[in-house]
Amino acid sequence: AAPAASGDRHVKHSRVLAPYAWRHARVHTPLDSAVVYELHVPSFAATAGAAHNDGTFATAAAKLHHVAALGVNVVELMPVFDSCFDPPFGWGYGACSPWAVSDMLGGPVELKRFVDAAAALNMSVWMDVVWNHAGPRTQLREYDGWRGARGDGVYFYEDANHNTPFGPRYNYDDAAVRAYILDHVRLLHDEYHIDGLRWDATVCIRKGGGGACWDQGAPALPGGQWLLRAATNLSHALGGYAVAEDNQGDAALTRAVGDNGGYGFDAQWAYQTFYYELLPQLTEADNDDVNVGAVTDAFTTRREGGRVVFTENHDTASTQQKGRVPRIVDPGGHAHAPSYWALKKALMGVALALLAPHSTPMLLQGQEFVTYAPFAYPSPPALDFSLATANAGFMNAGVRALVVLRKTLAALRASAPARVAFTVDDAHNKFVAFTRGGGGGGGANNGTVLVAVNLLNRSFDRYTVRNVPDGRYRLAFNGDAKAISPLFGDVGVDQRFVDARNGAVTVALPKYAVLVFVTQ
């Protein structure tokens, strides 16, 4: 166990903590301009050459400068509570002591120091919470000695709702169990200064039955639905956010509580309207089969309400699913010498997420420097920080430049208006452009932004984009710049300014790249 701080005391299996002296106020990142970085403490901060991931809150805090240098302003931690299902430094979704911050990671005081260190860099911290199931060896089983018909005891359902695909389900119909979970929500916001909670597999809280929660016929769980609404209300009352991972595309998740069955989440992970639409287009081997209509749909849909968008997360990048984008594209390649197409498509994925309208973008750790290694389950490999040097151009001139644009240009905020401006011949040209307005008010960061996306394996010396507001546009980003990779072509990097007249602008358009222009 971690050494107790001065004033702490141990009572049997519990620890009473002395008050923590916060050095920095809790950071509350506006969702409108948030850029999220998903971080797994043990692998993010592992010792080079260690036999297993040995990262802790302290070693992770020492590396937060890397995340801050990207321009990221939200760090989302994968679960950090005692887990008795995963390996000691695994993913953490099999919690056996759901209130107990893992001593292997440093314990509760070191978690607070980590949040404090993030606040010093003006970053807020979100956290994964797992209340859809308990680990199969949870310490809440038979907590007071009573087994019940299912053998798990008072915290769990005794009927057909007992099982989930991951472990036993908490009994949300029991008011004491709901209070236990809601008290944890309050603890994380108040005691740990956690700004946002990402709720794992909410579909298994709001729906039950003995099979897969996501089955069409899975019955509703009124107690679980009540819990989710109470939890989002509580997070908001405490000045925090609540984000759902539901994977069903249900708009009710992000509707306000009391609005047509709404649950009150600020956003949900956008599998249905973003990831599933875009990944096939990013990884399609035959350029003729790329569907620009799917890209357009991913930009324009509002079906899921508030969204967190991504092209990699811990699940999608795992060995159980598709894996990292560069590895899908270049399966025999190496991250220290990524191929042209691995670089192009990885950057396209990052760009589409960071520029997507009405969305909050998220990166998975290592995505910024072209990590190939899958995010293996149950224990991912240590993050290879040598790639930050090997692929420095991609990270700095590519990812960081896009993050900075996302945060500084008013037109790229989540709430800025957007419309798809023009789509050209999906069967041949594979091009889509859209404009976003900055809302006026003057200033360098309040202009109209034009985003031009070329998914075709062909460059154009002169390409006319229509339905563009008139004005002089400055080139703010070119996804073909050799500053990103010497393998790229520098097509169009010298077009510092272009003029839109009569609703049209002509640009040099590099192959498989994103251009970003902003009015002066």
Side-chain angles (χ1 to χ4, degrees):
S6 176
D8 294 354
R9 52 194 182 85
H10 293 264
V11 182
K12 291 188 176 180
H13 300 297
S14 298
R15 181 183 303 171
V16 180
L17 299 174
Y20 177 77
W22 291 92
R23 298 178 60 193
H24 304 92
R26 171 177 157 189
V27 175
H28 182 66
T29 304
L31 202 61
D32 202 37
S33 56
V35 178
V36 183
Y37 186 93
E38 188 180 17
L39 189 153
H40 175 253
V41 170
S43 60
F44 175 80
T47 303
H52 60 78
N53 290 331
D54 60 355
T56 65
F57 296 125
T59 57
K63 290 187 173 181
L64 280 177
H65 61 87
H66 165 80
V67 183
L70 292 173
V72 165
N73 49 17
V74 178
V75 175
E76 180 179 313
L77 296 178
M78 288 176 65
V80 298
F81 304 99
D82 275 342
S83 177
C84 49
F85 177 64
D86 295 331
F89 291 95
W91 281 20
Y93 289 91
C96 59
S97 299
W99 275 52
V101 177
S102 171
D103 274 339
M104 292 186 188
L105 300 182
V109 173
E110 288 301 322
L111 172 57
K112 292 177 182 179
R113 288 176 178 152
F114 176 89
V115 176
D116 222 356
L121 297 168
N122 201 31
M123 294 188 293
S124 61
V125 177
W126 294 1
M127 182 178 288
D128 277 14
V129 291
V130 186
W131 291 110
N132 59 80
H133 74 285
R137 293 188 293 276
T138 174
Q139 293 185 6
L140 294 177
R141 174 175 284 160
E142 301 178 49
Y143 186 75
D144 59 357
W146 181 75
R147 289 175 53 84
R150 296 280 184 163
D152 285 322
V154 295
Y155 279 90
F156 304 97
Y157 280 107
E158 285 287 294
D159 58 15
N161 296 313
H162 173 268
N163 291 323
T164 75
F166 318 109
R169 179 184 279 113
Y170 295 101
N171 183 0
Y172 315 118
D173 293 337
D174 188 314
V177 173
R178 295 197 303 265
Y180 174 78
I181 296 171
L182 291 172
D183 282 348
H184 191 242
V185 172
R186 183 178 296 278
L187 174 84
L188 292 177
H189 287 307
D190 280 354
E191 278 291 314
Y192 289 96
H193 287 196
I194 301 301
D195 194 42
L197 303 181
R198 177 266 195 192
W199 285 70
D200 186 63
T202 51
V203 65
C204 293
I205 298 175
R206 61 190 183 89
K207 296 171 74 175
C213 337
W214 46 86
D215 285 349
Q216 193 68 30
L221 284 177
Q225 294 175 354
W226 186 96
L227 169 67
L228 292 175
R229 293 177 177 117
T232 58
N233 280 338
L234 180 57
S235 284
H236 296 154
L238 297 173
Y241 297 117
V243 175
E245 186 228 20
D246 199 80
N247 200 7
Q248 307 303 298
D250 191 340
L253 270 296
T254 53
R255 284 199 294 266
V257 173
D259 178 8
N260 194 23
Y263 289 90
F265 285 95
D266 297 283
Q268 60 179 308
W269 277 24
Y271 283 101
Q272 298 292 336
T273 64
F274 195 84
Y275 177 76
Y276 294 149
E277 294 275 16
L278 286 186
L279 187 72
Q281 317 321 319
L282 288 175
T283 57
E284 176 57 63
D286 187 342
N287 197 227
D288 288 341
D289 291 334
V290 170
N291 179 5
V292 169
V295 178
T296 302
D297 290 345
F299 282 150
T300 58
T301 184
R302 302 298 298 276
R303 178 162 60 89
E304 289 181 313
R307 306 187 302 174
V308 173
V309 297
F310 47 83
T311 50
E312 293 183 9
N313 68 36
H314 71 271
D315 275 322
T316 68
S318 71
T319 44
Q320 296 173 302
Q321 295 195 29
K322 295 288 188 180
R324 301 261 193 180
V325 170
R327 189 181 181 91
I328 300 172
V329 174
D330 182 28
H334 196 284
H336 282 86
S339 71
Y340 174 87
W341 283 112
L343 290 162
K344 277 281 183 171
K345 295 194 172 190
L347 183 62
M348 179 67 75
V350 170
L352 294 179
L354 284 165
L355 301 172
H358 313 301
S359 307
T360 297
M362 183 176 76
L363 304 171
L364 174 63
Q365 64 176 45
Q367 192 173 2
E368 69 274 19
F369 42 56
V370 208
T371 296
Y372 273 56
F375 199 84
Y377 178 84
S379 183
L383 193 60
D384 184 357
F385 274 90
S386 71
L387 295 175
T389 300
N391 298 322
F394 183 96
M395 183 176 71
N396 294 317
V399 177
R400 182 179 181 277
L402 286 165
V403 171
V404 169
L405 290 178
R406 170 66 174 76
K407 288 172 55 183
T408 57
L409 295 179
L412 294 182
R413 292 176 186 153
S415 62
R419 62 185 178 88
V420 172
F422 193 55
T423 304
V424 180
D425 195 356
D426 184 19
H428 296 95
N429 285 341
K430 312 299 181 186
F431 173 81
V432 61
F434 64 88
T435 58
R436 300 189 68 181
N445 295 325
N446 284 296
T448 295
V449 167
L450 166 64
V451 176
V453 181
N454 181 18
L455 292 165
L456 188 66
N457 184 14
R458 175 190 168 191
S459 297
F460 296 85
D461 292 333
R462 293 176 59 80
Y463 194 98
T464 299
V465 187
R466 305 190 185 279
N467 297 338
V468 178
D470 288 354
R472 167 153 280 206
Y473 288 78
R474 172 181 58 84
L475 180 65
F477 180 81
N478 184 322
D480 194 50
K482 284 185 177 292
I484 299 172
S485 168
L487 299 179
F488 289 0
D490 257 354
V491 173
V493 294
D494 56 349
Q495 55 183 349
R496 294 183 58 202
F497 298 95
V498 294
D499 294 303
R501 298 187 179 92
N502 301 317
V505 62
T506 299
V507 301
L509 187 65
K511 68 180 180 182
Y512 214 89
V514 171
L515 302 179
V516 180
F517 297 90
V518 60
T519 55
Q520 292 299 289

